[in-house]
Amino acid sequence: MTYQTEISALRTAINEQGAPWNAIDAENAARMKLQNRFPTGLDIARYTAKIMREDMAAYDADPANYTQSLGCWHGFIAQQKMIAIKKHFGSTKRRYLYLSGWMIAALRSEFGPLPDQSMHEKTSVPALIEELYTFLRQADARELGMMFRDLDAARERGDEVEAKRIEKAIDEHETHVVPIIADIDAGFGNAEATYLLAKKMIEAGACAIQIENQVSDEKQCGHQDGKVTVPHEDFLQKIRAVRYAFLELGIEDGIIVARTDSLGAGLTKQIAFSKEAGDLGDQYNSFLDCDEVDASQIGNGDVLITRDGKLLRPKRLPSNLFQFRSGTGEDRCVLDCITSLQNGADLLWIETEKPHIGQIGGMVNRIREVIPNAKLVYNNSPSFNWTLNFRQQVYDAWAEAGKDLAAYDRARLMSVDYDGTELASEADERIRTFQRDAAAQAGIFHHLITLPTYHTAALSTDNLAREYFGEAGMLGYVKNVQREEIRQGIACVKHQNMSGSDIGDDHKEYFAGEAALKAGGAHNTMNQFAAA
C-alpha cells in the first residue's frame, strides 16, 4: 500500500467514525502506521522467513549469492549495524542478524558473566530477540520520521517535484528488519522444553533457529573441550519439536539449522537404542571405542553390546560417559548432517577446529552425495587464530610445492616480523576471499561471526580509556570518537535523535498540536550537529 493510499484508507475510516474521531489527522495516523510496519514478532518471523527462503534458492542457483551476519548482544549494536549496512551498501539484502548463546551467557545473564554452558536463563534468549527487533523497528521509525519532516519542508516551500520524490522514497523504503539466526543451544532440556522455548523465540521474531546435538545439561562451547553428543533419535526429537513450534504459530517456512559438534566431541552419554543391525542406533554405536570380551571377562557393572556375533565392552570413563574411537569425527559429522536433513532440518552447521575450506568441503561433498542441495551455516569464529591458521596453510601449500621456506619458522608465523612478507600477503588474501571461496567450494550459504561485537566493544573501550585517562585527556574522545563520527557520518553522533527524541516530538505534535512542548527547539544543543 502506498503512502497516499494509506492516508486515504485511514481518512475514510476516520470519517466513518464521525465526531468522536474528528481530532484525528489521517496523515499523522498513516505515518505512525508506516513507522510500525511489524506490529508483532510473528509478523517479523513470517516476513523474514520468506526472505531467507528466497535467499536459499538464490544461493542454490549461484553460490555467489551467499549471505552474511554478525553476532549482536544488544539491540543498539544490531541497529547500528543495519544502519551502517544501509549507509555503505544501499541495501540490507543478504545481510542478517546472528544471536549467539555465547554472548547471552557472557553479557546478558542476571548471574553475571557465564561460560557458554547453557547456565543462563533460557528466557533471556527470546528477550534478546525481542530487543534486537525493537531497536531495528525504531531505526525504521527514525528514518521514516526524517523523511516525513523533509516532505513537510518541501510542501512548505511549495516544491511539488521534491514532495513527490520523497513520497516515492517513502513508498520504496527498505526496512532495517532482517532475518535472524537464533541460537537455542541444545534446547535447554528435553524435547518439550525445546518446543516451549522455540515458541517464545518465534513469537519474538525468530525465523531461523539453530540447535546443536550436544547433551543439554553437559553443553559446552563448540570451541572448548569436553563436548558430549546425543544419539541421533534424541536430536531428531528436538528438530521435530522446533518444526511443530513453527507450524503451530503459522510460520510454515521457518528454518531449522542443525548443528553437529561431533568433529570435536569424543564422548557420548548414552548408547543408542538399536533394533537391528545397520539401523540408525547401530550406526551411532558403531563409532564407540570398544574392547572385545568373553563371558569370563565380564566385570561388575559392565555395559556390553553385541556386534557381528562378538561381545563388546564400550570404554566408559569415571564420569559415566562413553568414548568414541579416535579419528571418527568426520564420519560422525557426515552421518549427523545427512540424518538431520532427512528428518526436517533445512541448513547444517558443522563446528570445526579451524577455518579450512578443504576440510569443510570434503565433508559437504560426502553429504551432497545423499542430499544434493545440502548447504551450511558456518561460524567464522573469533576462537580461530585466523592470522596464524592461514599463514600456516600458505606455508604448508608452499612446502608441498617445493618452495624455499628458509626465511620462515612455521611455529612463529604469528610474529609481526612476518607482516610484510609475501607469505603474509598471500595469507591475508586467502582470509579476504575466504567467505566467497568457501561459498563456492564448500557449500556455505551463510557466513557469520559469532562474537565480533564483543571484541569490538572491548577494543574500542580499551583505546578510549588509554587516551582519555592519559595525556590526551578530552582530546582522546573528541579526536578519536566524536570527530570521526562527524567525518564518517555515524548516525548516533546525534544521539538525542538516535534515541527517539524527534519521534517523540512528532507524537507530541500529533497529540497536542500547538500545545506540544517539544525538545527539538532552538536551544537543543544537538543543533550543533545540523551540518554533520
Side-chain angles (χ1 to χ4, degrees):
M1 187 178 290
T2 68
Y3 180 58
Q4 288 298 333
T5 304
E6 189 73 67
I7 294 170
S8 296
L10 284 167
R11 184 171 289 125
T12 298
I14 290 167
N15 289 337
E16 287 175 354
Q17 292 297 321
W21 284 17
N22 281 348
I24 300 298
D25 182 277
E27 185 160 11
N28 291 344
R31 290 180 176 187
M32 294 176 75
K33 190 172 180 180
L34 288 171
Q35 286 174 300
N36 187 24
R37 179 178 168 186
F38 303 100
T40 72
L42 288 178
D43 294 320
I44 292 172
R46 194 170 293 111
Y47 168 78
T48 53
K50 182 175 182 292
I51 290 174
M52 199 163 169
R53 290 286 178 180
E54 290 171 350
D55 287 346
M56 289 161 67
Y59 173 82
D60 287 339
D62 182 354
N65 295 318
Y66 63 89
T67 57
Q68 299 168 290
S69 65
L70 297 173
C72 300
W73 54 273
H74 192 281
F76 177 72
I77 300 295
Q79 178 195 67
Q80 294 304 301
K81 183 186 92 171
M82 298 317 301
I83 288 174
I85 287 170
K86 285 191 72 174
K87 180 183 76 172
H88 292 297
F89 305 105
S91 173
T92 63
K93 189 172 178 59
R94 296 199 295 274
R95 279 98 177 193
Y96 300 171
L97 298 178
Y98 179 68
L99 181 147
S100 161
W102 192 101
M103 286 210 284
I104 291 180
L107 298 170
R108 302 304 299 263
S109 172
E110 292 184 9
F111 294 107
L114 294 172
D116 183 20
Q117 297 172 354
S118 287
M119 295 188 292
H120 55 279
E121 308 86 341
K122 65 173 70 176
T123 52
S124 60
V125 183
L128 180 54
I129 296 170
E130 183 176 9
E131 176 183 296
L132 294 173
Y133 281 125
T134 296
F135 273 78
L136 295 190
R137 289 185 291 192
Q138 194 263 7
D140 280 356
R142 170 187 167 272
E143 190 169 69
L144 283 165
M146 293 190 294
M147 295 168 79
F148 296 147
R149 287 171 176 237
D150 290 342
L151 177 59
D152 291 341
R155 288 172 175 172
E156 288 174 9
R157 296 193 306 269
D159 190 340
E160 294 184 12
V161 173
E162 177 64 3
K164 287 296 182 184
R165 186 198 67 77
I166 295 171
E167 284 187 19
K168 186 173 185 294
I170 292 168
D171 291 340
E172 296 173 353
H173 177 260
E174 183 181 49
T175 178
H176 295 81
V177 170
V178 296
I180 188 170
I181 297 174
D183 186 0
I184 200 173
D185 283 5
F188 287 87
N190 61 16
E192 176 70 8
T194 301
Y195 154 77
L196 293 171
L197 180 56
K199 279 183 63 178
K200 289 291 186 184
M201 293 168 68
I202 298 162
E203 288 169 340
C207 73
I209 293 177
Q210 165 215 328
I211 186 165
E212 64 202 48
N213 68 334
Q214 291 191 45
V215 176
S216 184
D217 60 355
E218 303 282 359
K219 184 260 185 307
Q220 294 276 19
C221 172
H223 292 279
Q224 292 187 311
D225 205 354
K227 294 183 289 296
V228 185
T229 63
V230 297
H232 292 93
E233 183 51 40
D234 292 42
F235 187 52
L236 299 181
Q237 289 174 22
K238 294 186 176 183
I239 289 177
R240 288 192 285 270
V242 175
R243 179 62 64 206
Y244 274 108
F246 273 123
L247 293 174
E248 179 183 340
L249 295 171
I251 314 299
E252 287 81 4
D253 52 358
I255 291 101
I256 299 173
V257 181
R259 170 176 142 180
T260 173
D261 283 280
S262 290
L263 198 62
L267 303 169
T268 183
K269 199 169 189 177
Q270 301 160 260
I271 295 175
F273 175 72
S274 172
K275 289 183 178 180
E276 58 185 41
D279 66 14
L280 197 54
D282 187 52
Q283 291 180 69
Y284 187 79
N285 294 338
S286 72
F287 296 114
L288 292 171
D289 193 0
C290 300
D291 293 320
E292 186 176 352
V293 297
D294 59 39
S296 65
Q297 296 173 311
I298 299 173
N300 183 60
D302 274 355
V303 174
L304 303 172
I305 63 173
T306 60
R307 184 183 305 127
D308 300 327
K310 298 176 181 179
L311 191 62
L312 304 174
R313 180 195 296 120
K315 291 184 179 177
R316 185 164 56 164
L317 306 180
S319 60
N320 207 32
L321 300 171
F322 296 95
Q323 184 173 296
F324 288 116
R325 283 182 287 113
S326 177
T328 62
E330 287 200 8
D331 290 338
R332 285 184 280 126
C333 277
V334 170
L335 181 60
D336 294 344
C337 291
I338 291 171
T339 303
S340 296
L341 292 176
Q342 288 174 332
N343 288 272
D346 302 289
L347 294 169
L348 302 171
W349 174 315
I350 300 175
E351 194 72 275
T352 67
E353 81 287 359
K354 59 182 179 294
H356 193 288
I357 293 174
Q359 178 196 40
I360 303 161
M363 287 186 281
V364 170
N365 288 338
R366 292 175 60 189
I367 296 162
R368 285 182 166 178
E369 290 174 5
V370 182
I371 314 287
N373 69 338
K375 45 192 168 288
L376 300 187
V377 170
Y378 187 70
N379 178 9
N380 292 217
S381 177
S383 292
F384 303 144
N385 184 331
W386 286 78
T387 301
L388 181 60
N389 265 291
F390 276 83
R391 288 182 180 182
Q392 288 180 338
Q393 287 180 38
V394 172
Y395 182 98
D396 293 342
W398 285 6
E400 187 176 349
K403 193 164 183 174
D404 181 13
L405 294 167
Y408 302 101
D409 178 352
R410 191 179 188 280
R412 294 186 58 254
L413 290 177
M414 183 65 200
S415 171
V416 68
D417 297 341
Y418 295 116
D419 281 2
T421 64
E422 181 187 359
L423 185 146
S425 296
E426 182 170 330
D428 282 354
E429 179 62 12
R430 290 193 184 194
I431 293 170
R432 186 185 73 82
T433 64
F434 173 79
Q435 295 189 340
R436 182 194 69 196
D437 296 341
Q441 301 169 32
I444 297 178
F445 157 72
H446 185 78
H447 284 279
L448 61 90
I449 309 178
T450 44
L451 323 175
T453 53
Y454 177 89
H455 292 279
T456 55
L459 180 62
S460 61
T461 301
D462 181 272
N463 290 336
L464 176 60
R466 182 188 69 239
E467 296 291 316
Y468 177 73
F469 292 104
E471 289 299 315
M474 191 59 193
L475 184 61
Y477 172 77
V478 172
K479 181 180 178 181
N480 297 317
V481 180
Q482 188 182 79
R483 194 175 296 166
E484 287 304 308
E485 286 181 304
I486 295 170
R487 299 282 189 263
Q488 296 180 39
I490 304 299
C492 68
V493 70
K494 302 176 184 178
H495 52 259
Q496 305 287 16
N497 168 269
M498 196 74 254
S499 70
S501 180
D502 289 343
I503 296 172
D505 273 1
D506 291 339
H507 291 171
K508 290 173 185 178
E509 190 168 7
Y510 298 166
F511 306 154
E514 292 182 358
L517 184 62
K518 297 193 288 186
H523 299 294
N524 187 322
T525 57
M526 283 286 100
N527 293 333
Q528 296 173 30
F529 297 97

